[in-house]
């Protein structure tokens, strides 16, 4: 019989302690961010989808070597190049120029292999995270076009 | 005049828990044969989110396989990637700088605390308490912010590389970790008062769902499940790897074998992880974070390699059979919850369904890790 009453007493006490804790939490400042109205700044190393980097003249730094394409575990990157004649010191030379750089972001796992394998510092992660869409095609990025748009 | 339906006294019915039952996390299906509220027999059906991770390991290079490992257990991903890089480094004979190993240990332990915090919240929510989940997520958020600042990802990290790390930690990270430790200790006291001391919580766990040490051995259960059954086994102590021998920490073991014991093991483990982080930050050596001598394209010598690590859920093992090529001939992942789950069928026989769901929570299941 004594056990019965001490159970009731100890049980009620534990419930009151718990309520005390939740009651105190109730008056603590809010920690959540009201998302559409407030946004957080992404940390410096945040990995969004990749983006081409331009040199001083606004051309992509990429030399179309294809290392990133080969390193990617999921085959997200497809690129192409054309050969153009340029004049250096009066001599005509052939140079590979990037003509297409597409990223299929639906398959990308943001692993960073492409960025690490690029020896020319030609790609980097963006800070883009607002990417909701109901259409798959919206995640097939033409990075060359995006670079031109940024330059414009 | 109709006669009322007569039930046979031994009549049972089948209850499907899952595949998408709100009381379970992930897509797991448990077929239960019920006699009223009591379970007569249960059968776990896996395979709803099988993604062939082992096969993927065989058809891509070792470096390309790095991101896969963090997709097994999305709550404690760093532990799994740690096992993978350790296995490759040992097989290929790559020396890892000490600083890199210390940072690995610190981040793995932070990830373990984050994983246990989320389990704690979800477990109490399974039992009907909602506030602890919010408090736990609030604490976990600090860890995720810290890890995001160094790894660039919040959940599916790809941070370790063969021979070192993707990038170094900075002073901000060290400051944040130092601030976090006392904060977390205070929270652990709060959880002890709010949840562990709660009478309803105790009555629902104490003496419920006993799992004997024999049963753990039979099914190969490891981690907090085995340690709650009195088996003192922790890979970090028993088969030391990385820089764990340098740290002073205890392995919590409880002998009650019930759901409460498994709960207590994890709560104590958080404190032990904090101790490791504290010591790691104190001892953190300077120097490089990447091995100097490291082949560009990793090829393992012909052979059979195995590495076990202690993750948040138990002992995770990775076995790589190499034929000397740049990808594995066969890659086998031994995931802890797969074994832990399998004792469920035997242990829950004759149990009340609500106790069985609490028991399932105490096993700390992460379904993608089970299914791989
Ligand atoms: S981040 Fe990884 S998956 Fe994404 S494009 Fe680069 S290499 Fe491919
Ligand atoms: S982005 Fe870098 S790795 Fe990829 S093709 Fe261009 S230069 Fe080569």
């Amino acid at each position: 019989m004594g056990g019965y009453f001490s159970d009731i007493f100890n049980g009620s006490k534990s419930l009151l302690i718990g309520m005390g804790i939740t009651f105190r939490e109730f008056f603590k400042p809010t920690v959540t961010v009201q998302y559409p109205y407030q946004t957080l700044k992404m940390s410096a190393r945040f990995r969004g989808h990749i983006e081409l980097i331009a040199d001083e003249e606004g051309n992509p730094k990429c030399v179309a070597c294809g290392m990133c394409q080969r390193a990617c575990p999921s085959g997200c990157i497809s690129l192409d190049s054309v050969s153009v004649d340029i004049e250096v010191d009066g001599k005509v030379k052939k140079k590979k120029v990037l003509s297409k750089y597409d990223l299929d972001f639906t398959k990308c796992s943001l692993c960073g292999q492409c960025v690490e394998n690029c020896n020319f510092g030609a790609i980097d992660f963006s800070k883009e995270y607002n990417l909701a869409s109901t259409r798959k095609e919206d995640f097939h990025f033409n990075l060359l076009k995006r670079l031109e748009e940024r330059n414009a | 005049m109709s006669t009322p339906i007569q039930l046979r006294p031994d009549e049972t019915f089948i209850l499907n828990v899952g595949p998408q039952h709100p009381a379970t996390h992930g897509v797991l299906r448990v077929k239960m044969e019920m006699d009223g509220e009591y379970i007569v027999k249960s059968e776990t059906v896996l395979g709803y989110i099988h993604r062939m991770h082992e096969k993927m390991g065989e058809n891509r290079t070792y470096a390309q396989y790095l991101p896969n490992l963090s997709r097994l257990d999305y709550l404690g991903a760093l532990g799994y990637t740690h096992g993978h890089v350790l296995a490759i480094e040992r097989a290929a004979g790559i020396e890892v700088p000490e600083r890199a190993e210390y940072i690995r240990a610190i981040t793995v332990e932070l990830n373990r605390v984050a994983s246990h915090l989320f389990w704690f919240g979800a477990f109490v929510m399974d039992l009907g308490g909602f506030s602890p989940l919010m408090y736990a997520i609030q604490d976990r958020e600090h860890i995720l912010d810290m890890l995001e600042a160094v790894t660039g990802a919040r959940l599916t990290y790809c941070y370790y590389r063969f021979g070192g790390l993707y990038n170094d930690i900075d002073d901000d990270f060290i400051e944040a970790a130092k601030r976090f430790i006392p904060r977390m200790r205070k929270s652990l006291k709060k959880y002890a008062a709010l949840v562990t001391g709660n009478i309803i919580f105790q009555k629902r766990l104490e003496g419920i769902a006993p799992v004997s040490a024999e049963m753990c051995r039979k099914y190969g259960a490891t981690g907090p499940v085995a340690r709650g059954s009195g088996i003192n086994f922790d890979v970090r102590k028993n088969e030391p790897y990385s820089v764990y021998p340098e740290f002073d920490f205890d392995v919590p073991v409880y002998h009650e074998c019930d759901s409460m014991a498994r709960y207590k093991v994890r709560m104590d483990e958080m404190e032990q992880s904090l101790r490791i982080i504290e010591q790691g930050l104190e001892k953190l050596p300077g120097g490089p974070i990447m091995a100097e001598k490291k082949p560009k394209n990793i090829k393992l010598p012909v052979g059979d390699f195995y590495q076990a690590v202690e993750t948040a859920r138990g002992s995770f093992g990775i076995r790589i059979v190499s034929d000397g090529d740049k990808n594995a001939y066969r890659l086998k992942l031994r995931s802890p919850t797969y074994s832990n789950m399998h004792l469920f069928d035997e242990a829950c026989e004759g149990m009340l369904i609500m106790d069985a769901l609490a028991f399932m929570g105490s096993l700390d299941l992460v379904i993608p890790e089970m299914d791989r």
Side-chain angles (χ1 to χ4, degrees), chain B residues 20-190:
Chain B
Q20 270 141 340
H21 194 275
T24 60
H25 335 235
V27 270
L28 172 75
R29 177 176 173 217
V30 185
K31 222 167 99 185
M32 287 175 176
E33 191 183 338
M34 306 290 299
D35 178 9
E37 285 210 42
Y38 290 91
I39 298 166
V40 180
K41 205 170 161 300
S42 124
E43 191 190 333
T44 310
V45 186
L46 296 180
Y48 286 93
I49 38 172
H50 187 61
R51 288 146 300 156
M52 290 167 285
H53 274 302
E54 291 181 4
K55 193 72 201 163
M56 279 194 223
E58 290 159 23
N59 56 29
R60 42 184 71 188
T61 65
Y62 294 115
Q64 285 182 333
Y65 193 54
L66 278 169
N68 283 59
L69 269 298
S70 58
R71 266 87 184 162
L72 300 180
D73 175 358
Y74 48 82
L75 294 177
L78 282 173
Y80 294 75
T81 47
H82 196 193
H84 179 223
V85 291
L86 283 175
I88 303 281
E89 280 157 4
R90 225 178 50 181
I94 302 170
E95 282 284 329
V96 188
E98 213 182 12
R99 183 180 172 85
E101 276 298 359
Y102 268 91
I103 296 174
R104 282 180 185 177
I106 293 168
T107 43
V108 165
E109 293 308 320
L110 276 174
N111 206 200
R112 189 189 312 274
V113 176
S115 166
H116 280 359
L117 272 174
F118 198 85
W119 160 82
F120 162 78
F123 180 48
V124 181
M125 199 175 74
D126 280 356
L127 297 171
F130 189 68
S131 319
L133 176 71
M134 292 291 121
Y135 303 159
I137 286 185
Q138 191 185 337
D139 283 332
R140 177 172 168 263
E141 202 59 25
H142 290 267
I143 304 181
L144 294 194
D145 283 346
M146 271 188 263
L147 290 179
E148 184 191 350
V150 295
T151 68
R154 293 178 74 79
L155 219 52
T156 46
Y157 315 103
C158 186
Y159 182 45
Y160 306 146
R161 295 288 180 273
F162 307 131
L165 304 170
Y166 178 48
N167 46 33
D168 204 352
I169 57 173
D170 48 13
D171 291 341
D172 288 347
F173 176 85
I174 295 174
E175 280 308 308
K178 279 189 178 151
R179 268 201 313 275
F180 174 75
I181 293 167
R183 191 205 140 88
M184 187 63 217
R185 291 219 162 105
K186 228 170 100 193
S187 290
L188 284 175
K189 284 208 190 82
K190 182 168 82 186

Side-chain angles (χ1 to χ4, degrees), chain A residues 52 62-68 79 101 117-120 122-123:
Chain A
L52 285 171
C62 175
V63 298
C65 68
M67 278 301 283
C68 51
L79 52 86
Y101 198 111
N117 274 284
C118 179
N119 294 327
F120 302 88
I123 37 176

Side-chain angles (χ1 to χ4, degrees), chain A residues 7 10-12 14-15 17-19 21-22 25 28 31 42-43 45-47 67 70-74 109-113 115-117 119 125, chain B residues 60 63-67 71 131 135 138 148-153 156-159 161 166-170 190 193-194 197-200 203 296:
Chain A
D7 251 16
N10 289 333
S12 317
S14 85
L15 293 180
I17 291 173
M19 277 188 213
I21 291 170
T22 44
E25 286 293 324
K28 287 201 179 153
V31 291
M42 288 295 113
S43 62
R45 285 169 182 171
F46 176 79
R47 298 212 291 253
M67 278 301 283
R70 273 196 296 278
C72 178
S74 323
S109 57
L110 293 170
C111 63
Q113 295 291 335
V115 176
E116 270 168 75
N117 274 284
N119 294 327
F125 298 111
Chain B
R60 42 184 71 188
Q64 285 182 333
Y65 193 54
L66 278 169
R71 266 87 184 162
S131 319
Y135 303 159
Q138 191 185 337
E148 184 191 350
V150 295
T151 68
T156 46
Y157 315 103
C158 186
Y159 182 45
R161 295 288 180 273
Y166 178 48
N167 46 33
D168 204 352
I169 57 173
D170 48 13
K190 182 168 82 186
L194 177 64
N198 185 293
I199 182 94
I200 303 167
K203 294 268 178 211
K296 183 112 179 70

